[in-house]
Amino acid sequence: MYKPNDLILRTTTSIIVFILLGFSIYLLLAGHNSPGGGFIGGLMTASAILLLYISYGSKAIEKILPINYRLLIPIGLLIALGTGIGSFFFNVPFLSQTFTYVQIPFFGKMELATAMLFDVGVYVTVLGVTLTIILSISRDQKS
Amino acid sequence: MTEIMLITALVLFGLASAITLVRIIIGPSLPDRIIALDMIGVILVSVVAVISVLLNTKAFLEVILILAILAFISTIAFARYIERGVVIERKRNR
């Protein structure tokens, strides 16, 4: 009975996961003017968390990230629905969107759109659905 | 001139991936096939880079990073499956 040693995989994972999470946030924020968006950003975050699960095992990661991923699906859907309902307060049709230019310190003038909030809803929903599917399939083993 | 060079590079990449496909089909063992699949992923990254130079656009630069990440994660998962029999372990030995 040999004892497996994953030192290279674990050291590489702890570096690569930060790059992956940063890249997924970039994809989420860049979706308005270039390729990207909520869907692919959620998939990249899910793959980063999946890489953590593969290299560290599920018991250690459940201690580090105590998130019930099933709960993320209704949260994301409620965010997406809330951006639709919010347009009723301004007396415009459902899911109307608007944008404005805001002066933010250190970043300069930026365009902030309300379609971003809908994208965040899509992101959270995709993250929850993907990780729920993967983790509930992988739980079905004997040992 | 540059276009001819890029198209030549694409043809050579196609030749390399055809040779790799032969290794996937006749590969005697499972690790041979997995290494060949990883190599096809690397070739695809190069093909996307050459095509994005050829089409004179930078809309494909995210595809390169995503393909490299997915090839890495899938190779890790396959290797874990060959070595231990499971991809995600329930509890660690130590």
Side-chain angles (χ1 to χ4, degrees):
Chain A
M1 191 66 196
Y2 76 106
K3 214 180 230 179
N5 189 0
D6 294 345
L7 182 63
I8 295 177
L9 177 62
R10 284 182 188 149
T11 312
T12 316
T13 298
S14 54
I15 299 170
I16 285 179
V17 160
F18 280 104
I19 301 174
L20 268 177
L21 289 175
F23 181 57
S24 70
I25 297 297
Y26 163 73
L27 279 178
L28 172 66
L29 294 179
H32 200 70
N33 297 322
S34 62
F39 188 79
I40 188 70
L43 283 183
M44 277 296 111
T45 311
S47 67
I49 297 176
L50 177 66
L51 184 61
L52 279 177
Y53 266 100
I54 286 174
S55 61
Y56 284 98
S58 94
K59 196 177 172 189
I61 298 302
E62 273 162 10
K63 200 186 290 176
I64 296 173
L65 287 173
I67 304 170
N68 188 4
Y69 295 106
R70 245 163 294 158
L71 206 61
L72 289 182
I73 305 171
I75 288 175
L77 290 177
L78 277 179
I79 291 172
L81 186 65
T83 62
I85 289 183
S87 65
F88 286 149
F89 295 110
F90 300 99
N91 214 358
V92 287
F94 185 61
L95 279 177
S96 298
Q97 57 162 332
T98 179
F99 63 96
T100 180
Y101 289 96
V102 181
Q103 192 78 29
I104 296 177
F106 301 117
F107 287 106
K109 200 164 126 186
M110 286 182 71
E111 179 188 5
L112 291 181
T114 56
M116 184 70 226
L117 295 174
F118 189 81
D119 237 3
V120 170
V122 174
Y123 174 84
V124 174
T125 310
V126 168
L127 181 60
V129 169
T130 315
L131 281 173
T132 303
I133 290 172
I134 290 172
L135 292 181
S136 55
I137 286 175
S138 74
R139 274 220 179 108
D140 190 22
Q141 64 176 347
K142 293 214 177 81
S143 61
Chain B
M1 187 60 202
T2 314
E3 198 167 331
I4 297 172
M5 282 165 60
L6 291 176
I7 289 174
T8 311
L10 282 181
V11 170
L12 290 179
F13 279 136
L15 209 62
S17 94
I19 295 171
T20 318
L21 196 64
V22 172
R23 178 51 67 190
I24 290 180
I25 292 170
I26 68 167
S29 65
L30 200 51
D32 287 335
R33 295 191 169 104
I34 292 168
I35 293 295
L37 274 177
D38 193 33
M39 187 175 167
I40 278 191
V42 174
I43 291 173
L44 270 180
V45 168
S46 317
V47 166
V48 172
V50 171
I51 284 179
S52 88
V53 174
L54 195 61
L55 294 181
N56 202 4
T57 175
K58 56 180 183 177
F60 296 149
L61 296 185
E62 281 90 358
V63 179
I64 296 172
L65 202 45
I66 288 174
L67 264 180
I69 288 165
L70 288 185
F72 173 71
I73 291 178
S74 60
T75 308
I76 293 288
F78 269 128
R80 177 56 66 98
Y81 175 69
I82 287 177
E83 193 188 2
R84 309 269 173 85
V86 293
V87 176
I88 299 177
E89 291 179 326
R90 290 300 293 274
K91 55 176 187 280
R92 290 168 57 188
N93 295 325
R94 283 159 290 144

